[in-house]
Amino acid sequence: MKCIILAAGYATRLYPLTENFPKPLLSVGDKAILDYLVDDAVDTGEVKGFIVVTNHKFAEHFKKWAETKALNIQVVDDKTMTNETRLGAVRDILYALEETKTEDDLLVMAGDNILDFSLKGFIDFAREKDASCVMCHEETSLKKLQKTGVITTDENSLITSYEEKPQNPKGHLAVPPFYVLKKEDAALIEKALENGCGADAPGSFAAWLSRNSKVYAYLMPGKRYDIGDIESYEYVKQCFEK
């Protein structure tokens, strides 16, 4: 299994901290945000290599970071320079696969989150289902549901509906940007884009896939810290200082 880390955003809501520095490499506690995800992925024993897809503005920062890790990490520069010209998360996944000629099962995750639980349970769940999977958590806030992917599932955790940023959500299971994609499903990304799959939201492909194949949802056993603005970043730092 290879791990693709989505890190091509410009984090404008965190300016000035991220005006010239990538959000995933900001410090929380004694290490970078991205280190928490990568170190845990290594500990699962399932991930054999990492692909960090980023933009041209921040590529050198990630290359320097990769040099500090004794791991198989490829940094892919998507050649964009501004938030307005970004490719979008789904096109970035496709670009990373094409540039690295990767044909493996994938763990795909955004590089600006921290989890207080291990990814191993999620990967084991996907192995058990032998299918592509997403993570999910219960969300009661309508405002938050309207800003994320929302799914419904059956008694076997099979996704029965999947909407990105719905104004009238059908359920209360929110999907953060963590996915396991079987290699045969990852090979369908280009087809999905040609058939109208959205390119910007990372969950757009998972939503498209769920309408064309079996995709299951893993209920998160812990908390995810989403670092989106200065306030949430300061909150996470306080949590990890404790």
Side-chain angles (χ1 to χ4, degrees):
M1 173 180 281
K2 289 283 186 71
C3 177
I4 292 183
I5 297 167
L6 301 171
Y10 291 85
T12 55
R13 290 187 295 154
L14 270 161
Y15 277 16
L17 294 179
T18 54
E19 194 164 3
N20 295 296
F21 193 77
K23 177 168 54 166
L25 297 184
L26 292 175
S27 295
V28 171
D30 60 355
K31 56 186 181 180
I33 295 167
L34 187 52
D35 285 324
Y36 289 92
L37 292 173
V38 169
D39 292 349
D40 178 62
V42 171
D43 288 344
T44 68
E46 298 286 347
V47 176
K48 307 306 179 186
F50 295 86
I51 303 165
V52 179
V53 57
T54 185
N55 53 59
H56 188 66
K57 184 177 181 180
F58 294 142
E60 289 303 315
H61 290 281
F62 285 105
K63 288 176 182 177
K64 289 178 181 177
W65 165 82
E67 290 172 359
T68 69
K69 312 285 286 184
L71 299 169
N72 174 20
I73 301 176
Q74 296 171 275
V75 177
V76 174
D77 177 357
D78 74 2
K79 305 298 192 296
T80 70
M81 280 291 290
T82 67
N83 191 53
E84 291 70 31
T85 59
R86 68 188 185 277
L87 297 183
V90 178
R91 284 203 175 92
D92 268 323
I93 296 170
L94 178 61
Y95 185 78
L97 293 176
E98 291 175 342
E99 287 294 297
T100 60
K101 296 179 171 57
T102 295
E103 295 180 354
D104 296 270
D105 290 345
L106 302 175
L107 170 64
V108 180
M109 54 189 184
D112 58 356
N113 292 257
I114 296 179
L115 306 174
D116 70 359
F117 59 93
S118 175
L119 289 160
K120 189 174 190 314
F122 179 43
I123 295 173
D124 289 346
F125 175 85
R127 295 288 193 210
E128 178 187 333
K129 295 297 186 183
D130 192 27
S132 294
C133 298
V134 304
M135 290 208 305
C136 68
H137 63 88
E138 293 190 6
E139 179 56 67
T140 57
S141 167
L142 176 60
K143 185 178 292 187
K144 289 182 179 179
L145 287 169
Q146 290 172 335
K147 294 180 180 180
T148 189
V150 179
I151 59 172
T152 57
T153 62
D154 68 11
E155 64 276 9
N156 295 314
S157 302
L158 178 70
I159 294 175
T160 53
S161 70
Y162 195 141
E163 299 174 286
E164 276 294 329
K165 301 180 180 179
Q167 285 304 298
N168 298 295
K170 295 178 182 177
H172 55 85
L173 292 177
V175 182
F178 291 85
Y179 319 93
V180 169
L181 299 178
K182 298 282 288 182
K183 62 181 179 181
E184 54 268 31
D185 289 337
L188 297 173
I189 293 177
E190 187 170 13
K191 177 183 177 181
L193 289 167
E194 290 172 353
N195 282 273
C197 173
D200 196 38
S204 294
F205 176 66
W208 179 90
L209 186 64
S210 72
R211 294 189 288 271
N212 293 273
S213 182
K214 288 186 176 181
V215 180
Y216 292 86
Y218 172 74
L219 188 62
M220 292 163 47
K223 186 173 181 178
R224 160 197 171 227
Y225 295 88
D226 178 18
I227 301 159
D229 52 26
I230 295 287
E231 184 179 0
S232 58
Y233 176 50
E234 292 300 328
Y235 172 72
V236 171
K237 287 200 296 181
Q238 290 173 12
C239 289
F240 279 77
E241 282 172 3
K242 297 175 183 177

